[in-house]
Each structure stands twice: as structure tokens, then as C-alpha cells.
Amino acid sequence: MKIMMSCAGLRNLLQGLSFSVKHYSNMNHLQIMCPCSTIKAKKCHILDCSGSACTHRTVPPGSIQPWRCFSCKEGTRIPSKRKQNTSIVTSELWHKNLLKSEQEIWNSISPTYKSMTKRIKEKLEELHSKYTFNSGSPRIRFGENVYFEENGCIFLSKADDVDEGNADILFSTNDLGFSDVFIQRIRISPDQRYMAISLKSENSEEATCVIMKLGHFPVVEKVIPSVFSFEWATNDVLYYTSQKNLKCQNVFMTTFTYQKHTKLVYTEQDARFFVDIYCTKDRRFLTINSNSKTTSEVWLVDCRHPFELPALVQPRTKGVIYHIEHRNDELYILTTYGEPAEYKLMKAPIASSGKENWQLVHALEKKTKLVDFEMFSDDCIMFLKNAGHLYLNVISFVSHAVQSIKLPTWACEFELECHPEHTTSTCYFQLSSPVHPPKHFAYSFKENNLIEQAVQEVPIITNCHTTRLLAKSKDETLVPITVFHNMNSKELHRKPLLVHVYGAYGIDLNMSFKEEKLMLIEEGWILAYCHVRGGGELGLSWHKDGCQLNKLKGLHDLRACITLLHKLGFSQPKHTALAAASAGGVLAGALCNTEPDLIRAVVLQAPFVDVLNTMMKTHLPLTIEEQEEWGNPLEDEKCMKYIKSYCPYQNIKPQCYPSVFITAYENDQRIPLTGVLRYVQKLREAALEHAGRTREKGNRIPNIILDVQTSGSHCDSSWEHSLNEVARHLAFLNKELEEEGHQYHSK
């Protein structure tokens, strides 16, 4: 089972995320019914928040993704009073004028960064071409056949010929007239006669599912709009969920026999829950997963009898998340049920699946994060994080033995490859870090050992040093930090430092390979990843200790991390920059208000900076779901006051702020653009007011820049679009720090 952000999968479940996302991840996920793969255009992001990238909630229980999820389409309800209509028209006019003003400001400032942006783009393109072959889409192994995607095409090859370049093309987005889209997800029917593909553009949250009938001449069998997740129940029966206004609440079944028909199978009535589907690894059951951020419920469709009504596993119980696998007529359950409230593996008979019959199989150690889980016929593998290190727990269902295998110390991210056949004797995966390209590994159940695969790869970077630190927060909680720097760098206190933070939805910071991170290391930068509370690096309790009325703990953690870095000689405030995206903007913006002297510059991507006003608007499609992360200020005065105490927008005041560069998207349905516009306007006014008061003291005036993109969205950007964003961010940071002698072009 795999965890990911673009399809339904365990990883999202385990992250305990939110129903928001940004970027479809390359990771595959819990798929058993048929091979699957999530594929996207290559990207490179300086601002990563969570492992992966974005789709809407895909997971079974829990939530899903790391990015902020409110719709920006305000005023969509038609008020009944004329006065309210006038108010909306006035608000829209204000929004339009302010947006136009910001675009004019950006157009006048952008030439300042043009030459440096060009040089950075050239360097990133060079690195991208160098490492592209090393980070391609995961292959789908299906018997003797291997399916894979490249450049908008899906290929089929024999396992022995896949590395020889011998492959048949099954699907091409261009040839079939699908322009400006990327392949998000693939499902092959068990007999390999049909292939279902989801296509998505970067300007829309909704995907289109195309079903191909395979053969000597593959043809399009059916096109289904607005689809989120889909799985084959049998050779010719497909189940799928429909997506509307960022919500998935309906499950449909469609058949491809001579009696073709489509019917509604399941409807979720609770607005807090999001529905997705996937198949168990042995293809015995298709599961309908209805999840809020804290509670889940699973229904089973027997793939041997796909037309029968789904059967409930365990009625939803507040605070209990669970996810189902199957083996030898028993259900294997990953769940938070019982103490401690962390994930544990349990099992129960199919006929008696209620939680009173769940028996413990394996429990994780304290402060251990379950990142991924893969089921096989006689074994299962848990991919784990503990104290910043990655390792595997291999559990034998035959001998009941548990083997723990520590992975290379440089590794920060897993990437599990697709294993549609649960009887395989080998588990394939990739390891990477922000500065180390993906490297292929395999675990052999027969040999009982870890194998580093000898394939053509770029060698592991040897001139980068990885350090893991613990910062003591305000309440003396130890907060992990991962630091990367060039081993040849001298006088680290004079080097530029880029700090990354997220801290929400139980999501880990994204620490997969990015070309721009490697470039920064080569240029002498220090990279620091602060794993603050609210994220998921130390398990579910780490998230719980940083959400709702504990959100300020994440801010205290961030402050402690940056302070420790400076104390240990990793740069200093005037050389320090902070990067965050989406919900990470809450902590980044709060730090700018409370500790502006700790950092010199900030880059934010689609940041959530107006928490209070957004959470007060229940007409936004995802506000109710978000209450489990931020609280309900409409009904709880204590919650309202608490949000107001840290909300970036609410706490702006005249002082010397760091320079800020914000990228936002006109079509972003998750972060209200109105809130970002309001934030930038208020921040700029406060900075100018302070400068006017202290002009005689020679204080600098920070640059407050907003770049509103007309294309792209909160969830997806093309490689080219993403490249331009990253280059602009780095050009801004270099220019802000160039007074201290850290110029990109000095290299």
C-alpha cells in the first residue's frame, strides 16, 4: 500500500493529513486490485511542505494532504438582501483593483531580477537534464509486462526489454487531442484488457478519467469527467469517485461488458468526510474509505461479487482511524484504535470485523512515524522514521518474526515502487534526500537482505554533509532539525542559510530530491529542515501537539530551531532566509510578526496567512473539514481568541520586517487570493509606517513583493512553470542577501 497524494492510498492516511493538496506525488500507493502509478510532469520546488504533492484527500482514514484547502471563490452564494448584493459587488471591485495594483507593482520590480533569474534557470535546467533519468515515474510490474510513462505517453514493455528501449506506446495525450494535461494516475485491469488513466491540467483541481481498451490497436472506450479515485473490481467493472467543489462524496460503478451501465453505489452524507477507493493487495476486496481528519469508516466490495452491496467493516468511531488490507480470509487493519493512539497493525476475521475482535499483530515504538506499508502473501513491510533516520520493519506472517533494517544515513525519503502482484518475493523502492537523487534499492524476502540495485545512476553526492540536531523548545520539548551543507565550506557562520518549515496536518516536510537544493549546496548555502510540531515526523501525537489550541507550539519550535542553528555557527540572522508554502505560511508569517530580527528574507508559495477570516466563512467548501485542524472560531470564543493571537494577518504591526516574496495563483481554490492580497497590503503599510518613524536611524525598508500567477494552481504546476517560480525565488533571496557578499552570480 502506498501513500501518496494523488490517489487514494495509505501514505496519506498515515500522514493524517488534511483534505488539501498541492502537487501530485510520484509515489504509488495502496493498490492491489491493479497496478497503479501516479505520474506528473517533472517539478522543482523551493517551497516544499509535505512529502509529496497534491491531490485531494486520498487516503483512507485520516485526512490527506499538506496544502491549505479553502476555495477562493468567495461570494458564490447569492444573498437574499439587496444590501448584501451591493456589498459583494463592492468587495469584488476592491479585489479587482487591488489585484491590478499588485500586478503593476510586480511588473515594475521584476526586471530587477531578470538577469539573475535567467542564470539560475540555466543552471537548474542543466541539473535537471543531468538527473532526469534518475527520477522517472515508477514502473508498474505486471507479470512479464512493465508499464511506464514518459512525456505524456504510456508504454508497455517486456520485463527483459524495458532497459533496452523496446516498448510499445499505448497512450499519448497529444495524439488523442488532450492538450496541456499530465497523466496523474494509471490503473490496469486484472486481465490487462483495459487501462484507466486520469488526466489533469495545472489550472484545474478536477481530473478526467479515460478508459482505453488495450490490444493491437488501443482505442478509447469511455471518458468520465470530474473523477478523483478509481479502481478495477474485476476485469470489466470499474468503481470511481466523483469530485465536485473540492469534495468527493459519491461512489459509482460502471461496467464494460455487452450490458454497459453506470450506477451510484455509495453516498457520504457528512460534509466533514471525504470518500476514496482502492483495492487490497491480493485483489480480493475493493474498499470504500470515508475519512475525516480524525475518524474513518471502511466498506468492502467483494471483487468476486462486484454487484453485491458493500459491507461495513466497523462503524465510524470518533477519533479512530483505520485502513484495511486482506490476507488468507483475514482483514489486516492499520489503526489508531487503542493506546497509545499511534498506528498499529491488527487483524480480525472477515465475518467478525468489529473493533471488539481486532487482535494486535505489531505495535510501533514510541515517537516512530509510519510512512508507508506494503502487504505481500507471507510478509509485510513497514517503512518507518525514527529520530530522523529511515528503516524497515519486515514482519513475517509465517514465523511471526520482526526484522528491523536501518537504511543509509543520508536517506530522508522513501519512494515505494508499484507491486501489483502480492506473491512477489522482492520489494522495490527508492531512497533520496533533498540533495541526493533517487537511488534504487530492493528487499529480498528469500535472501532476507537489502540489495542496492546496480542500475545506471548518478553517484551519491559526496561533498554534502548531513547533520541531525535537536532544539529545545519553550516547553523543553526536543525538536528535530535536519541540516545539509557543503563539506568544503569554511566559516559557516558567514554562509547563507535557507530554513524550511511546514508544521500542519500531520504532514512531514517534503525532503525528496530537488535540483535547486543541490544547486544551493554547490553554491555554499546551508539548508535546514525544521520538523516542528503540527507536522507528522514523530507520529500522530506530534501532529496533535501542534494543532488547534496547540498551534503556538509550532511557532515556539521554529524559533528554537533557528536560534540553535545560529548558536551552533550555522549562519546568522542577516544571512538567514525562511521558505514555506500553503499552511506553512501560518508559522512563517507568525515568526515574521514575533521575531522579525531572526531572518532577513522570506519566500512563500500560496501561503495561508489569514486564518481567522477564512475559518469564519462557512460558505467556503472546506471550512467545516478544516475545523479539526484549526478549531471552530464561530462557536468557540476561546478558539477565536487563540487563532487571533497567532494569525499572521491579525498581528501585523509597524516594525522592521524581513523582505517577503509571495507567489499566489489566481485560480487557487484552496487559499483565498483575497486573504493574500489583504495580507500583502497591510504588511507593506506597516513596514512603510515603521520606516517613516525611524528614517533618521537609517533602517532599511524591506521589499514586500506579490507575484500573482494567472496560470498554475495550488495543486499542480508544469515543470516549466515551476522552474520559473523557483528561479524567481532564488533570484530574490540572492539579491536580498547580496549586501553580505552572498551573490549567486559571484560563482
Side-chain angles (χ1 to χ4, degrees), residues 442-647:
Y443 179 82
S444 171
F445 296 109
K446 288 183 178 179
E447 303 296 330
N448 199 32
N449 64 356
L450 189 67
I451 304 167
E452 184 174 335
Q453 292 185 278
V455 297
Q456 182 187 6
E457 293 181 343
V458 175
I460 291 298
I461 308 304
T462 57
N463 65 340
C464 181
H465 185 69
T466 303
T467 303
R468 290 179 171 87
L469 305 171
L470 292 172
K472 186 176 291 187
S473 193
K474 183 177 181 180
D475 60 1
E476 300 197 346
T477 297
L478 297 179
V479 183
I481 315 170
T482 307
V483 184
F484 303 92
H485 67 85
N486 195 311
M487 294 179 66
N488 299 321
S489 293
K490 308 296 182 183
E491 297 183 310
L492 289 176
H493 69 285
R494 297 174 61 86
K495 299 297 180 182
L497 166 65
L498 181 59
V499 177
H500 304 76
V501 70
Y502 186 67
Y505 303 118
I507 300 298
D508 299 4
L509 273 170
N510 184 353
M511 298 187 69
S512 58
F513 176 68
K514 297 288 187 298
E515 290 92 341
E516 69 271 18
K517 309 303 182 187
L518 181 57
M519 186 195 76
L520 290 175
I521 290 295
E522 292 177 349
E523 297 297 336
W525 283 67
I526 304 166
L527 305 178
Y529 291 77
C530 302
H531 310 292
V532 303
R533 280 174 284 186
E537 285 85 349
L538 295 182
L540 296 178
S541 60
W542 196 247
H543 168 227
K544 186 176 180 180
D545 209 21
C547 68
Q548 294 195 3
L549 297 180
N550 291 320
K551 187 59 70 174
L552 277 170
K553 292 182 179 180
L555 176 60
H556 299 154
D557 294 350
L558 178 59
R559 180 191 301 124
C561 289
I562 298 176
T563 300
L564 177 65
L565 289 167
H566 292 159
K567 182 179 179 180
L568 295 178
F570 292 106
S571 194
Q572 50 190 297
K574 62 183 179 180
H575 303 324
T576 299
L578 179 62
S582 195
V586 174
L587 296 184
L591 187 75
C592 289
N593 288 331
T594 60
E595 304 287 342
D597 294 335
L598 272 183
I599 48 181
R600 174 62 185 261
V602 180
V603 283
L604 301 174
Q605 187 175 28
F608 187 38
V609 286
D610 193 6
V611 186
L612 184 59
N613 286 323
T614 305
M615 291 303 299
M616 298 286 280
K617 297 173 181 175
T618 56
H619 67 277
L620 298 179
L622 300 175
T623 298
I624 295 175
E625 299 171 8
E626 291 293 300
Q627 290 171 356
E628 291 181 299
E629 177 70 23
W630 309 98
N632 184 0
L634 285 172
E635 298 182 3
D636 187 339
E637 186 177 356
K638 181 180 179 181
C639 174
M640 183 179 70
K641 291 180 179 178
Y642 189 79
I643 292 177
K644 192 172 183 179
S645 72
Y646 68 77
C647 174

